[in-house]
Amino acid sequence: MPVEEFMAGWISGALGLVLGHPFDTVKVRLQTQTSYRGIMDCTVKIYRHESLLGFFKGMSFPIASIPVVNSVLFGVYSNTLLALTATSHQERRAQPPSYTHVFIAGCTGGVLQSYCLAPFDLIKVRLQNQTESRVQPGSPRPRYQGPVHCAATIFREEGPRGLFRGAWALMLRDTPTLGIYFVTYEGLCRQYTPDGQTPSSATVLVAGGFAGIASWVTATPFDVIKSRMQMDGLGRRAYQGLLDCTVSSFRQEGLGVFFRGLTINSARAFPVNAVTFLSYEYFLHSRG
Ligand SMILES: C[N+](C)(C)CCCC[C@H](N)C(=O)O
């Protein structure tokens, strides 16, 4: 089993993450809290009350975990394609796999990565939603002191299964949309690259960026449900389950609720995934 695909996924995941985290914090707040009027309002408030650090809340844990998750995604994707089409990454330019195979491989990578991602994503969302300022003296201490404390508290208060809160919604979010992710990437690369050649860096950047947007646009409705389910373990339970969360969010806030965070998700997705794919291809290419 080729391991370099896993390594390439690791590096590209880390680079993409740092770039996208401030956008991600604004998105999570908009999806789960009602005190912000929009992207600008939320950004300004975070900056005023929590300083620049506010945007990087909850990042240390993903920095350690997202490379693992991305490595699972790209590694499983590529090895599934290898099993389906008997071509390695390097041979795929000369013998391009069908889009059905690309989609199936993307979905397979999606299922497995979402399982690894679930506890890390939960902790990230809980930490991002803490609005207490870390710089103002005398402000109240936040409930979670950091990622490890957060994990331990969830484990104690909500049990081991509590760490997988929102995991079903996460799986529904990621499985088909990661199929779409790789199909869009492959499609755009093929469109703008002469047959049999490797795509240029510019093509990889643009195809990666649009793959991210296509995937996030389709993922946003389940992303909202996922974030809400993850926050639901705190205090009084508002939802009985995934379906209940979907129905009551819709009843209370209308159809628009499922598109909350769409703009910011897309704005984040382009640079993050352009860099992710560029570093992924670069790493594999430089190794021959
Ligand atoms: C499937 N879903 C849209 C959720 C994610 C697809 C892109 C994954 C990438 N690491 C990123 O954070 O943008």
Side-chain angles (χ1 to χ4, degrees):
M1 182 158 85
V3 286
E4 61 264 47
E5 316 273 336
F6 286 97
M7 280 157 72
W10 183 290
I11 297 169
S12 56
L15 288 173
L17 176 93
V18 178
L19 201 65
H21 199 78
F23 294 92
D24 196 68
T25 301
V26 174
K27 175 202 82 175
V28 166
R29 297 266 178 107
L30 287 176
Q31 285 179 336
T32 55
Q33 301 189 19
T34 42
S35 53
Y36 303 114
R37 281 195 309 270
I39 297 173
M40 271 321 280
D41 182 49
C42 181
T43 310
V44 170
K45 280 188 180 145
I46 294 181
Y47 184 70
R48 281 219 191 108
H49 300 307
E50 301 160 57
S51 85
L52 258 188
L53 283 179
F55 294 101
F56 291 95
K57 274 185 183 164
M59 193 179 80
S60 60
F61 213 38
I63 265 288
S65 62
I66 295 300
V68 185
V69 173
N70 213 57
S71 144
V72 169
L73 171 64
F74 280 82
V76 171
Y77 165 73
S78 194
N79 283 287
T80 310
L81 263 190
L82 177 68
L84 289 172
T85 62
T87 54
S88 71
H89 184 85
Q90 282 76 11
E91 293 159 353
R92 273 175 218 143
R93 290 296 156 221
Q95 290 164 266
S98 75
Y99 286 117
T100 315
H101 284 153
V102 171
F103 185 75
I104 295 172
C107 293
T108 314
V111 178
L112 292 176
Q113 78 110 40
S114 65
Y115 198 73
C116 305
L117 178 65
F120 298 119
D121 193 66
L122 171 74
I123 290 161
K124 174 188 76 85
V125 167
R126 293 273 175 100
L127 292 176
Q128 283 176 317
N129 262 321
Q130 301 199 120
T131 49
E132 288 85 357
S133 167
R134 280 201 222 160
V135 283
Q136 266 163 34
S139 61
R141 265 164 80 87
R143 180 187 184 105
Y144 305 123
Q145 303 302 312
V148 178
H149 179 247
C150 178
T153 312
I154 296 175
F155 189 85
R156 205 177 46 232
E157 291 176 353
E158 301 165 52
R161 286 189 58 196
L163 285 169
F164 282 85
R165 197 176 293 285
W168 275 112
L170 186 68
M171 197 174 283
L172 288 171
R173 182 195 81 173
D174 282 6
T175 306
T177 56
L178 282 166
I180 293 172
Y181 183 63
F182 286 105
V183 167
T184 312
Y185 176 71
E186 271 302 312
L188 288 173
C189 278
R190 282 183 207 174
Q191 182 86 29
Y192 296 107
T193 311
D195 276 352
Q197 288 186 17
T198 25
S200 69
S201 307
T203 307
V204 169
L205 279 173
V206 173
F210 280 110
I213 292 186
S215 173
W216 273 109
V217 166
T218 43
T220 299
F222 273 116
D223 191 43
V224 175
I225 304 302
K226 180 228 44 134
S227 301
R228 292 186 166 203
M229 295 291 293
Q230 288 173 326
M231 289 309 290
D232 199 36
L234 283 177
R236 207 177 55 83
R237 280 295 144 71
Y239 311 117
Q240 256 138 39
L242 201 139
L243 196 66
D244 183 44
C245 176
T246 313
V247 173
S248 42
S249 296
F250 173 70
R251 282 224 185 101
Q252 281 158 21
E253 293 156 77
L255 200 61
V257 72
F258 299 118
F259 300 99
R260 212 177 269 178
L262 185 79
T263 317
I264 191 124
N265 261 342
S266 311
R268 173 189 168 281
F270 194 92
V272 168
N273 292 287
V275 166
T276 301
F277 272 104
L278 187 68
S279 43
Y280 172 75
E281 296 284 2
Y282 183 80
F283 181 85
L284 289 178
H285 203 66
S286 64
R287 292 174 53 92

